[in-house]
Amino acid sequence: MEKSIILANDISEINKLSQFIDEIGEEFSLTPDIIFNLNLVLEEAVVNVINYAYPKEEHQSIFLSAKLQNGSIVFVLTDTGKEFDPTMAPEADITLSAEDRPIGGLGIFLIRQIMNQVKYERIEGKNVLTLEKKLYNTKQAGYTQVPGLLCIYK
């Protein structure tokens, strides 16, 4: 099963994104922990596209698809904005205090920490970011749910 959504490159679309992730969570029988983490990751990725991929006055679309595949949930985020490969971004130095740390980079850090695989491609003028999360303790992945067990593992 695959689901998709088209978002405008406008920050007001974040509520629509959150509703989409919640619907996926329900349809794919994901645990609240997984849904929370997916919301965090996808909001970071989409906000980065909204803020940096296009000039502010340019109205464009952002495409997001989700599907279950081999015990994982796979998201593909596509836009036609400025080329940016988040897999090549330097690692955030989380040892620095908030005052000493440069602004930016923590969103990509979170994406890398939560997702099992992050892959970027530039295909025919489009940024294509593929994010994969292995599912544990979900009915769809063939695991039994265990109450109280945190299920976001790498």
Side-chain angles (χ1 to χ4, degrees), residues 6 17 21 40 66 78 121 133 140 154:
I6 299 172
L17 172 66
I21 302 303
L40 182 64
T78 306
E121 299 173 280
K133 180 68 189 160
Q140 289 289 336
K154 275 206 151 193

Side-chain angles (χ1 to χ4, degrees), residues 33-46:
D33 293 331
I34 291 175
I35 295 168
F36 175 84
N37 280 286
L38 293 175
N39 261 309
L40 182 64
V41 163
L42 291 163
E43 182 176 319
E44 267 310 318
V46 169

Side-chain angles (χ1 to χ4, degrees), residues 17-134:
L17 172 66
S18 182
Q19 289 173 348
F20 176 72
I21 302 303
D22 289 344
E23 288 171 14
I24 287 171
E26 189 172 313
E27 284 186 37
F28 294 173
S29 300
L30 303 178
T31 64
D33 293 331
I34 291 175
I35 295 168
F36 175 84
N37 280 286
L38 293 175
N39 261 309
L40 182 64
V41 163
L42 291 163
E43 182 176 319
E44 267 310 318
V46 169
V47 167
N48 280 346
V49 172
I50 291 168
N51 287 337
Y52 304 112
Y54 302 103
K56 294 290 180 213
E57 66 282 348
E58 191 174 315
H59 301 287
Q60 294 291 334
S61 296
I62 301 165
F63 303 89
L64 178 64
S65 67
K67 67 180 176 181
L68 290 176
Q69 179 178 309
N70 302 323
S72 294
I73 188 162
V74 179
F75 291 92
V76 178
L77 181 66
T78 306
D79 68 82
T80 57
K82 185 173 17 174
E83 184 174 356
F84 175 68
D85 181 353
T87 66
M88 300 306 291
E91 292 287 332
D93 187 352
I94 59 170
T95 63
L96 296 174
S97 68
E99 296 81 27
D100 295 332
R101 189 178 312 128
I103 294 174
L106 285 181
I108 293 171
F109 171 80
L110 285 172
I111 291 169
R112 288 174 176 157
Q113 292 301 304
I114 292 171
M115 303 307 281
N116 295 98
Q117 184 175 8
V118 179
K119 180 177 133 190
Y120 171 83
E121 299 173 280
R122 183 76 175 177
I123 302 173
E124 297 177 3
K126 296 178 183 170
N127 294 305
V128 180
L129 183 63
T130 304
L131 305 166
E132 179 179 342
K133 180 68 189 160
K134 292 181 179 157

